[in-house]
Amino acid sequence: MLSQLPRSRWDERAAAHLLSRAGFGGTPEEISNVHAKGLERAVHDLVESGPAAYEVAPPEWAHPRDLRELRQEARMAKERGDNSKVREVRKMEGDELLDLRRWWLGWMGATPAPLVEKLTLFWHGHFATSAEKVKDGYWMWRQNDTLRRHALGNFVSLTKAMSRDPAMMIYLDLPQSRPEHPNENWARELMELFTVGIGNYTEQDVRESARAFTGYRLDLATQQSYFAPRQHDAGPKTFLGRRGNFNGDDIIDILASQPACAQFIGRKLCRYFVADEPEAALVNSVAASLRAHQFEMKPVLRELFSSNEFYADSVVRAQIKSPVQFTVETCKLLSCDLPAAPIAQNAMRQMGQVLFAPPNVKGWDGGKSWISTSTLLFRNNFANYLINGDAMLPPANRAKPGDPGLRTGARAAIAQQFPRAPIDVNKIAPPELRADPEKLVTQLSQRVFQTGAAPEDLAAFTSFLEQRNGDTNDVTVRGLLHLMMSTPDYQLT
Amino acid sequence: MKPTLQTRRKFLRTSALGAAAAWTLPVFLEKTFFALDAMAADSLTQTVTGKDNSILVVLQLAGGNDGLNTVIPFADDDYHRARPKLGLAPDKILKLDSYIGFNGKLTGLKALHDDGHLALVQGVGYPNPNRSHFRSTEIWQTATDANQIASEGWLGRYFDNCCSGADPTVGVSIGDQMPQAFAAKTPTGVTFSRPEQFRWKASTGTDGKPLSGEEAFYRQLIGQTDETPPSDGNSIAALPGKTQTGTSTEDFLRRTALDAQISSEKILAIARKYKTNMPYPATQLGASLSLIARMIGGGLPTRVYYASLGGFDTHAGQIGSHERLMTVLNDALTAFVADLRQQGNFDRVLLMTFSEFGRRVAENANNGTDHGTAAPMFLIGGKVKPGVFGKHPSLTDLDKGDLKFGTDFRSVYASVLEHWLRAPSQLVLGKKFTTLPIV
């Protein structure tokens, strides 16, 4: 059982922690507001966001098309030696994905219900599916929409929805599965990565459950999935010690009834929301809660976010920000816009988290794996770009291709196409604040590090200002912010 | 390559703590230094000079390379029976002997074989093979038994045991993510893909120049000061990691920041100074190997480089895709070898390929192949003892439709460790494995 956080421990630090883990962080004002609500109300508001949070307007191009016709046309043109159709289709795929990434990242920054997006991202990493194989923007958007609708709903229903989700089906070869040749890809990953984890099933279970998932089909003309009874192996199967004429949903129900399933999902939730190596007692508690609530997410999350364990000193500001968190939170703290879509996409690639393209079916490993010498330097330089815009580039290089950091090789001069101005310093450091360098450092580090930096670091930041002769013009303040955001501490949330 | 004893305690006192005292370094760093200093133990250290050591390049073929269509047992009727659609015709095979041949796209590798610069180890695997990409990759990366989990990688254990005190660039992986094989008690090794971007950039002032003072403060914040010059080969990476006060996430971040800063200057300097005129294919792998060649040519003190090529998970429509992958592999390796030869460094380099598993003997219903077990490994280098090692696994004596392995991959690792890196393999692999005379 999780223990409830005592009222006395609900302070601004706790409120900041809740906002950064259950959302994408907050400005000092947002933190104060959440703190003023009290713990119960704050958690309630995050978990019980209204229906509008789930009805996010899709990008305008996101609707089904007759893919069969589209692809056939392209193929026929290609046979005539005309590759333009193929290129056209590919360009459309690329453009739509770029726009889809802009759409989601933008919504993560703007939404009044950040927990919904944070969980949608969690499920995207859990039911990892990549556009690299699916190759269709509508299907990727639709999976995102399904993940969002179930994000705080029921895990078992979500898993069943994923078994019928066109993007997932394509990603794990489900439509190719035939009774005479059941494809084991989906069945294996369902057990290994989505429900019970490795070691809790046998190769025999993989083969038998693969039979249960035959008959799941896709109609390319409508882009919808459907069930084809004649392609389904309805015969008896032996699965995890039970015998029956199981279909796919039966298999998922049996998996959810295994104690290993609650344990597996509980651990993953703890890793995402609490700590890289969560304590066994915490995982057991969350697993017990999942079982007690039949995998309904809301009550489980409400308990977790209200618990003593969630606010432990060892937990607060000890998690490495994911690239998504880094990007959305940094823009929030700087009170600036997200970068232009192509720049954001490239930056996410450099940092190792491209939305709609996880590296493999296991999703993103997270934690320390986000950080290498390469990604860490990139984060520092990316913060520089977000703060200073194009001015971060030496003038001689500003319009040249392939140069520092933020442009994609030969496609060049993105900075010219998508100019970015430096942030408006007055928004976060008004003139009256700048008059007092010490106060300026204190307040900015309050904003950047949520609960303030260590005294030694504060001294270092102050001496940076001193070295600039106490000059606190825009350029210096931006330099100070960049310095703060380049510290190891800023990688933590 | 003589192991030298270095007193780490002394090093700590003279450089790191000295620096911390001289500057008003944030207390967190001092704490780290003191704690680690207390735990520090003298250990065997391989000195690295960058100009004369042997170098290992590990090339991962991610996704499970189809060994049977890479090295083809063409004379075996069972091969053609098992693969009516995917089996390669004689004109697509470069014969090595009367039984096996290379995939027709591997012309450069065939030439290396003929010149005596390539060793082929057949049927490499491990007992109780796992058919999950992730688990099997982990087994290869950590070099454990199939039923054991380890957090450190085999190269990480080599760094820990034989390279402590070394420069962070002792291990270099090309890409954005550190391979698990590098995971070490003491975080060691750097990861980058473009040297020009591998550098911290200060903000720009109104005069268009870097903001004065900012970079100096950045160095201070991450613990690099003028008293610890970047070229002295000593960094925080020299300190032991998993101590009781050890690898907190914050320590990990600080070390990485420091390693990045120290190594980025050196790498950028080499990249600027050393360019290659060898044409490489315009592929990711071509770019990775070209970068490695530049770093070798420029004398980066690296013992192990790591690169990877993905896309080998050929469940469907394998014919075209596998041939493309073989071409990518062949062309990049061919350019790399030519480049090293031109540099005069071919004798110093050993390149080893591996993949998490081979694929099933029989093709599947989608013109592809599913996850299998044993597969061949290539070792390429100027000093390699050429030839074909191990027997080709039988295509009829199978284990659940899969090949039975003949050589444990850890025997290959042990051979490379003992005979190439001159490192005690038992210490690194935790067990004694028979070595092969491949180098």
Side-chain angles (χ1 to χ4, degrees):
Chain A
M1 268 292 278
L2 296 165
S3 56
Q4 171 94 15
L5 184 80
R7 244 162 233 262
S8 59
R9 288 199 47 217
W10 175 249
D11 49 17
E12 294 233 342
R13 186 170 183 258
H17 177 62
L18 178 64
L19 268 185
S20 62
R21 295 291 174 90
F24 301 95
T27 60
E29 303 75 53
E30 287 170 322
I31 292 168
S32 291
N33 290 341
V34 166
H35 176 237
K37 285 182 186 177
L39 172 65
E40 205 178 324
R41 185 78 217 171
V43 171
H44 174 89
D45 286 357
L46 277 166
V47 174
E48 298 292 344
S49 31
Y54 303 93
E55 300 286 343
V56 187
E60 58 168 32
W61 48 263
H63 50 77
R65 281 160 300 207
D66 188 342
L67 269 194
R68 188 167 43 194
E69 198 183 298
L70 215 64
R71 287 178 181 177
Q72 200 168 337
E73 264 176 46
R75 206 170 32 243
M76 277 160 58
K78 197 180 169 189
E79 275 163 22
R80 291 195 305 269
D82 171 13
N83 278 328
S84 64
K85 275 269 169 218
V86 176
R87 275 200 298 274
E88 213 174 282
V89 171
R90 246 180 239 151
K91 182 169 183 316
M92 186 181 76
E93 286 164 12
D95 289 349
E96 289 177 354
L97 268 176
L98 180 68
D99 193 56
L100 189 60
R101 288 174 182 138
R102 173 204 60 77
W103 171 84
W104 194 15
L105 209 57
W107 181 242
M108 286 187 214
T111 175
L115 178 60
V116 175
E117 298 313 307
K118 193 94 183 214
L119 268 166
T120 306
L121 180 60
F122 172 74
W123 294 123
H124 176 38
H126 184 74
F127 291 106
T129 303
S130 174
E132 306 260 331
K133 181 162 175 178
V134 177
K135 293 184 189 299
D136 184 72
Y138 164 72
W139 274 332
M140 293 311 295
W141 166 79
R142 184 176 146 160
Q143 183 184 66
N144 182 261
D145 192 64
T146 305
L147 292 173
R148 181 173 297 100
R149 287 173 194 283
H150 289 82
L152 280 115
N154 185 287
F155 168 71
V156 185
S157 315
L158 171 58
T159 309
K160 289 176 184 169
M162 281 299 110
S163 73
R164 298 158 170 76
D165 175 71
M168 173 61 85
M169 289 171 66
I170 293 170
Y171 193 55
L172 293 181
D173 304 320
L174 204 46
Q176 280 104 45
S177 194
R178 290 164 212 293
E180 60 276 18
H181 284 293
N183 190 302
E184 295 171 5
N185 212 359
W186 155 263
R188 180 185 303 278
E189 305 308 8
L190 172 67
M191 281 176 264
E192 180 178 336
L193 299 170
F194 303 156
T195 56
V196 293
I198 209 159
N200 293 302
Y201 55 89
T202 63
E203 287 294 313
Q204 176 72 10
D205 293 323
V206 173
R207 282 192 287 274
E208 290 285 283
S209 56
R211 293 175 49 215
F213 284 101
T214 48
Y216 287 57
R217 286 278 177 280
L218 273 185
D219 182 354
L220 285 182
T222 58
Q223 289 203 275
Q224 305 302 309
S225 64
Y226 65 98
F227 182 69
R230 291 172 61 186
Q231 291 294 325
H232 175 65
D233 177 349
K237 293 128 196 145
T238 305
F239 181 67
L240 289 171
R242 305 190 201 185
R243 188 151 177 86
N245 295 44
F246 301 132
N247 62 24
D249 285 353
D250 297 331
I251 295 291
I252 291 171
D253 285 328
I254 294 172
L255 284 167
S257 73
Q258 306 287 308
C261 185
Q263 208 69 25
F264 187 75
I265 299 302
R267 185 175 155 76
K268 220 162 166 185
L269 281 169
C270 289
R271 282 190 49 133
Y272 188 73
F273 285 112
V274 189
D276 278 359
E277 295 293 337
E279 308 255 339
L282 174 67
V283 174
N284 291 340
S285 300
V286 173
S289 181
L290 280 165
R291 279 195 297 274
H293 298 291
Q294 276 101 46
F295 288 98
E296 285 294 333
M297 298 304 297
K298 281 185 186 179
V300 175
L301 291 171
R302 199 190 290 264
E303 277 174 35
L304 181 63
F305 295 145
S306 309
S307 73
N308 230 338
E309 289 82 350
F310 178 72
Y311 298 93
D313 282 339
S314 59
V315 169
V316 175
R317 285 200 71 75
Q319 183 184 55
I320 294 178
K321 286 173 184 147
S322 69
V324 166
Q325 184 89 19
F326 182 90
T327 306
V328 176
E329 191 172 326
T330 301
C331 291
K332 206 182 264 283
L333 298 180
L334 293 172
S335 186
C336 66
D337 291 336
L338 285 162
I343 290 180
Q345 176 171 276
N346 190 36
M348 300 303 284
R349 181 163 290 130
Q350 300 283 332
M351 294 188 286
Q353 189 177 31
V354 184
L355 294 173
F356 304 103
N360 53 52
V361 61
K362 203 178 168 192
W364 295 283
D365 288 337
K368 288 183 186 169
S369 77
W370 291 129
I371 300 295
S372 68
T373 50
S374 165
T375 58
L376 186 57
L377 280 177
F378 188 88
R379 284 177 180 222
N380 298 341
N381 293 336
F382 187 44
N384 189 349
Y385 174 77
L386 293 174
I387 294 165
N388 290 301
D390 302 340
M392 81 166 279
L393 309 170
N397 289 334
R398 275 177 209 166
K400 261 200 279 173
D403 198 74
L406 301 150
R407 297 184 219 163
T408 45
R411 265 174 288 157
I414 283 180
Q416 271 187 336
Q417 281 180 51
F418 304 97
R420 184 178 173 93
I423 57 162
D424 178 356
V425 177
N426 281 329
K427 274 195 194 165
I428 55 177
E432 59 273 20
L433 180 59
R434 293 200 227 174
D436 180 349
E438 211 157 307
K439 206 168 151 204
L440 175 69
V441 166
T442 314
Q443 292 225 351
L444 284 185
S445 68
Q446 197 83 35
R447 172 181 285 268
V448 171
F449 303 105
Q450 307 272 299
T451 50
E456 314 83 58
D457 287 10
L458 287 179
F461 298 136
T462 309
S463 69
F464 168 71
L465 286 187
E466 278 163 8
Q467 214 182 49
R468 309 269 308 161
N469 298 322
D471 166 14
T472 53
N473 64 23
D474 284 7
V475 170
T476 301
V477 175
R478 291 201 297 262
L480 178 63
L481 283 166
H482 178 216
L483 209 50
M484 288 178 167
M485 290 183 163
S486 294
T487 54
D489 206 20
Y490 185 65
Q491 309 312 320
L492 297 173
T493 191
Chain B
M1 214 165 317
K2 241 188 304 171
T4 58
L5 276 172
Q6 180 184 331
T7 310
R8 316 180 83 207
R9 193 167 294 269
K10 196 172 143 215
F11 145 66
L12 281 169
R13 293 247 180 275
T14 51
S15 60
L17 282 179
W23 272 75
T24 53
L25 258 195
V27 173
F28 57 69
L29 274 174
E30 277 186 64
K31 267 198 236 140
T32 309
F33 281 134
F34 278 117
L36 295 172
D37 183 33
M39 305 297 289
D42 294 346
S43 69
L44 281 175
T45 299
Q46 290 198 333
T47 46
V48 182
T49 63
K51 290 291 184 195
D52 48 12
N53 272 291
S54 53
I55 293 167
L56 173 67
V57 180
V58 178
L59 174 55
Q60 179 182 358
L61 309 177
N65 177 34
D66 184 11
L68 284 174
N69 271 17
T70 304
V71 176
I72 300 111
F74 65 86
D76 196 329
D77 290 342
D78 291 310
Y79 168 74
H80 302 282
R81 259 195 291 279
R83 299 189 161 195
K85 288 187 187 135
L86 294 186
L88 294 176
D91 64 324
K92 292 198 163 179
I93 296 170
L94 306 164
K95 293 180 185 172
L96 296 194
D97 56 31
S98 59
Y99 183 70
I100 56 167
F102 282 166
N103 183 299
K105 301 291 179 191
L106 299 177
T107 49
L109 271 67
K110 173 70 165 46
L112 284 166
H113 168 268
D114 296 348
D115 293 351
H117 293 307
L118 181 144
L120 162 67
V121 191
Q122 307 200 89
V124 189
Y126 56 90
N128 304 311
N130 194 297
R131 288 166 185 81
S132 147
H133 289 293
F134 316 107
R135 183 60 197 136
S136 197
T137 302
E138 197 169 80
I139 291 165
W140 277 82
Q141 302 261 28
T142 55
T144 60
D145 289 342
N147 58 1
Q148 272 170 10
I149 307 276
S151 41
E152 282 96 39
W154 73 283
L155 294 166
R157 290 198 297 271
Y158 162 69
F159 297 145
D160 275 337
N161 286 300
C162 310
C163 309
S164 53
D167 187 278
T169 56
V170 67
V172 168
S173 97
I174 306 299
D176 290 323
Q177 232 189 339
M178 189 84 99
Q180 195 182 5
F182 274 26
K185 283 202 165 68
T186 309
T188 307
V190 299
T191 308
F192 67 95
S193 47
R194 267 166 283 190
E196 297 75 18
Q197 294 182 6
F198 189 61
R199 189 175 187 345
W200 188 82
K201 295 175 182 75
S203 304
T204 309
T206 38
D207 55 0
K209 290 189 184 132
L211 204 54
S212 72
E214 202 194 350
E215 176 140 10
F217 272 88
Y218 173 68
R219 287 159 185 269
Q220 184 189 342
L221 281 167
I222 62 163
Q224 188 194 19
T225 64
D226 294 343
E227 285 80 357
T228 48
S231 55
D232 70 359
N234 294 323
S235 81
I236 288 193
L239 306 175
K242 237 176 211 162
T243 61
Q244 275 154 355
T245 52
T247 51
S248 77
T249 306
E250 275 187 278
D251 288 346
F252 162 76
L253 284 164
R254 282 195 185 96
R255 281 161 202 241
T256 310
L258 192 54
D259 282 355
Q261 186 67 13
I262 289 173
S263 51
S264 74
E265 296 178 10
K266 212 175 326 188
I267 286 164
L268 192 60
I270 290 178
R272 284 196 176 132
K273 200 174 70 194
Y274 193 88
K275 302 245 162 34
T276 178
N277 55 7
M278 187 60 60
Y280 277 81
T283 57
Q284 186 75 49
L285 183 64
S288 299
L289 291 180
S290 143
L291 194 51
I292 291 175
R294 280 165 77 189
M295 294 299 126
I296 292 173
L300 197 68
T302 303
R303 300 302 306 270
V304 182
Y305 289 95
Y306 196 101
S308 72
L309 170 65
F312 286 92
D313 196 17
T314 48
H315 282 284
Q318 177 178 317
I319 292 222
S321 60
H322 192 254
E323 283 203 337
R324 267 194 300 283
L325 287 162
M326 290 291 108
T327 305
V328 167
L329 178 68
N330 180 74
D331 295 358
L333 282 178
T334 305
F336 183 59
V337 167
D339 202 357
L340 291 176
R341 276 186 166 134
Q342 188 173 302
Q343 288 180 8
N345 278 324
F346 190 42
D347 281 356
R348 289 179 58 212
V349 176
L350 176 70
L351 181 140
M352 177 183 89
T353 66
F354 83 94
S355 191
E356 69 264 37
F357 40 62
R359 307 192 76 83
R360 290 258 162 99
V361 175
E363 64 191 33
N364 66 20
N366 306 328
N367 294 327
T369 48
D370 297 321
H371 304 177
T373 51
M377 288 172 81
F378 294 120
L379 292 116
I380 294 168
K383 284 270 175 70
V384 86
K385 298 231 171 71
V388 178
F389 296 85
K391 278 212 319 219
H392 196 283
S394 161
L395 298 187
T396 45
D397 177 20
L398 301 176
D399 178 15
K400 296 181 198 129
D402 282 321
L403 301 172
K404 289 181 178 168
F405 81 100
T407 302
D408 193 303
F409 71 97
R410 290 165 297 182
S411 272
V412 182
Y413 287 1
S415 317
V416 169
L417 287 163
E418 293 281 346
H419 305 318
W420 187 247
L421 296 172
R422 307 275 170 208
S425 66
Q426 196 170 348
L427 197 60
V428 174
L429 300 174
K431 267 197 237 181
K432 193 86 196 150
F433 289 92
T434 327
T435 59
L436 309 168
I438 39 186
V439 274

